[in-house]
Amino acid sequence: HDAPRPHTAPPFLEGSLARTTRAMSAMSAARAAHASASPRARVEACTRRDAASFRAHAARRARSTRARASSTSAATAEAETSTRMVTIEEMSGEVFPSNLRCALRVNVPVDEPEECVREGRSLSEYMRLPVDQYVGIALPMGAEMKRVPGDRDMFQLEIPGLKFLSLEVKPVVRVRVRLVRDGESVQTWTGQSGFPGGKTPEWRDAELKEIARKTEEVNARRAVCEDEDAAAVPEECVDVVDDDARAAAPAAAADDDATKLEDDEIPAPTPLGRPEREDVDLRGPCVLIEAISCRVEGDVVEELGVNDLFVFRGTTCFRWRSAGDDSVNGPELRRTGVGGEDESDSGHATAKVVGKVKEGQACISGWADIGVGVDPPGPFALLPNAFAEKVGDAVMRTTLKALQTVFLKGLGEDYKKWASDKEYRAAREVAAREAAEAANL
């Protein structure tokens, strides 16, 4: 396949990362002052912080709604949508009406010969190799993994023919793959614990207070505009009065920003969503795969504006038990690692497990944690939300089970060949260098 063409984000996403960065900086400053402030000052600081966060979030939602209504019909917008990757940063803070979730663990036993362990070719050595290895592992369902030019740790996964009811799409996901080393700690996303939509109760309270304040403000303006005893009607009254007033001031009514002002200033409360959070403590050693951006392709994708209506989140963590580092005799493997966060009360504790491993047997285990937020397009918006989420969860679970099971089995088979075949190891090194050169690395 050819490398994806350069793309330009549509107008409603331009500057989103800069706005998010400013909001995060302000919140960091508030947290820094939190520890030294008095209890009353801390409460006031939290209130101001949550109100600022809400206002930034509401503004993004308003701009997004306006853009979605007008962007998908233009040919240029269609061309951009077909190649644009929807990044996590662009959709930071968004909560969508429908939210799909899937958590899965896959265990694959691996034959680890004692001779290979003694000679430094154990499973633990293999799993610590550079991430180039993942390009060559076969995938089911016609899926393909390839490098992203110019980035050593970025890969693109393409899954053709994924069906959701009558809609068939091709997800294209870019992921960052990295080795989290022994003793290293990272924070990552999960869709199996946290607050609904990732919003704290304090944030929700601040949002409701802001909506109440805006409602009171607009109602006060409405009262002035509808005052029949007023000597003159202020120009801005076309924002909130009826169609007769708009007809009397057509020039002002023609201003889209003016006529939409009331809707923009009083947004609906943010949907609850399903639990998620960004700060799960995960410890090495493991291989961590994190979704960075995504788009979907298909016959009606541009027509429905799908790429403006969703966000994809996901992490996959690979761990191993090996005689090479004596982890085969260590504690039971868990997603967050030794010393990592206890997830016994999260959705991972009850997630489906595929494959069994005997005590003392070398293995590779993979935990997948996937979430998709979507504003259902076209006729899909008429489906009951609970039904749409149930169907979406099932589609993701089936696809993820097939992909991860086949991938990990392929990884285990590749290890056996790497451990026992000197020529194959040499060929892999050559192939890795050629792939890096082809990707301009």
Side-chain angles (χ1 to χ4, degrees):
H1 299 280
D2 294 332
R5 298 190 300 274
H7 56 270
T8 302
F12 82 97
L13 291 179
E14 291 178 357
S16 177
L17 180 57
R19 288 189 295 272
T20 301
T21 301
R22 289 194 296 271
M24 292 178 66
S25 297
M27 293 173 69
S28 297
R31 283 194 295 269
H34 185 278
S36 60
S38 66
R40 180 176 181 179
R42 287 199 296 270
V43 172
E44 293 175 350
C46 288
T47 301
R48 291 193 299 271
R49 178 199 67 196
D50 291 330
S53 173
F54 162 71
R55 286 193 293 271
H57 176 66
R60 283 199 304 274
R61 291 175 62 197
R63 286 191 297 272
S64 176
T65 300
R66 291 196 300 270
R68 289 171 187 167
S70 61
S71 65
T72 57
S73 60
T76 54
E78 290 181 359
E80 289 175 357
T81 300
S82 65
T83 58
R84 180 177 62 83
M85 302 293 288
V86 182
T87 68
I88 302 303
E89 289 83 359
E90 288 173 343
M91 293 299 183
S92 176
E94 291 287 340
V95 182
F96 287 81
S98 294
N99 295 274
L100 315 182
R101 292 289 187 269
C102 180
L104 177 72
R105 177 178 178 177
V106 176
N107 300 313
V108 174
V110 177
D111 182 20
E112 188 181 42
E114 292 183 8
E115 178 184 358
C116 294
V117 174
R118 288 195 304 269
E119 296 177 356
R121 300 191 301 278
S122 66
L123 178 62
S124 64
E125 293 290 335
Y126 173 82
M127 294 299 295
R128 288 176 167 88
L129 290 174
V131 296
D132 310 85
Q133 61 186 307
Y134 297 108
V135 177
I137 305 299
L139 293 171
M141 305 168 58
E144 181 182 7
M145 178 88 82
K146 59 185 179 181
R147 277 189 176 280
V148 173
D151 193 319
R152 184 172 297 278
D153 300 328
M154 187 83 77
F155 296 84
Q156 182 162 301
L157 174 65
E158 301 180 3
I159 311 171
L162 188 61
K163 296 198 69 173
F164 178 79
L165 298 178
S166 61
L167 181 64
E168 183 171 327
V169 297
K170 174 185 174 180
V172 179
V173 184
R174 287 190 175 180
V175 297
R176 177 87 63 195
V177 184
R178 56 173 164 160
L179 174 65
V180 182
R181 303 188 180 279
D182 297 66
E184 184 180 356
S185 174
V186 299
Q187 290 192 331
T188 188
W189 177 88
T190 182
Q192 297 299 313
S193 64
F195 294 108
K199 307 298 185 185
T200 65
E202 293 78 13
W203 193 96
R204 300 281 181 179
D205 288 344
E207 178 185 55
L208 293 178
K209 290 177 181 177
E210 185 71 7
I211 291 175
R213 186 185 70 81
K214 287 291 185 179
T215 301
E216 183 178 354
E217 178 182 298
V218 170
N219 285 340
R221 291 173 55 198
R222 182 184 296 275
V224 172
C225 291
E226 294 179 348
D227 185 358
E228 297 180 356
D229 297 328
V233 178
E235 183 179 352
E236 64 268 19
C237 285
V238 296
D239 302 335
V240 293
V241 297
D242 57 21
D243 292 338
D244 291 339
R246 288 191 175 89
D255 183 342
D256 182 67
D257 286 341
T259 58
K260 296 292 185 182
L261 183 59
E262 182 181 2
D263 292 335
D264 290 352
E265 287 196 354
I266 310 179
T270 300
L272 281 180
R274 291 163 84 169
E276 62 178 294
R277 46 188 289 228
E278 304 275 356
D279 59 352
V280 176
D281 182 23
L282 182 146
R283 306 291 177 91
C286 68
V287 175
L288 181 62
I289 303 176
E290 297 174 291
I292 301 299
S293 59
C294 181
R295 72 170 182 267
V296 292
E297 301 174 356
D299 292 339
V300 296
V301 166
E302 284 78 19
E303 178 183 341
L304 294 176
V306 173
N307 283 319
D308 291 335
L309 302 172
F310 85 107
V311 64
F312 178 90
R313 302 299 307 266
T315 62
T316 299
C317 178
F318 296 152
R319 296 189 183 274
W320 56 88
R321 297 178 63 178
S322 167
D325 58 6
D326 202 36
S327 57
V328 72
N329 298 314
E332 182 181 355
L333 294 178
R334 60 176 187 165
R335 192 181 83 97
T336 54
V338 177
E341 184 168 321
D342 181 6
E343 293 188 307
S344 59
D345 60 349
S346 77
H348 285 289
T350 56
K352 183 176 179 59
V353 179
V354 179
K356 296 182 179 180
V357 179
K358 298 178 181 178
E359 186 71 25
Q361 184 175 26
C363 70
I364 305 174
S365 291
W367 290 260
D369 189 348
I370 305 298
V372 177
V374 62
D375 190 350
F380 295 98
L382 303 177
L383 294 173
N385 194 51
F387 172 75
E389 289 185 342
K390 184 175 182 179
V391 172
D393 289 355
V395 171
M396 288 207 308
R397 184 166 53 249
T398 300
T399 303
L400 189 59
K401 178 182 176 181
L403 283 173
Q404 187 158 318
T405 302
V406 172
F407 182 83
L408 287 184
K409 287 182 177 179
L411 205 59
E413 291 298 320
D414 191 69
Y415 161 69
K416 290 169 60 177
K417 192 171 182 178
W418 174 86
S420 61
D421 190 332
K422 183 178 180 179
E423 292 183 357
Y424 179 66
R425 291 195 297 275
R428 273 179 56 108
E429 292 179 2
V430 173
R433 286 197 299 269
E434 292 177 347
E437 292 172 0
N440 299 319
L441 298 176

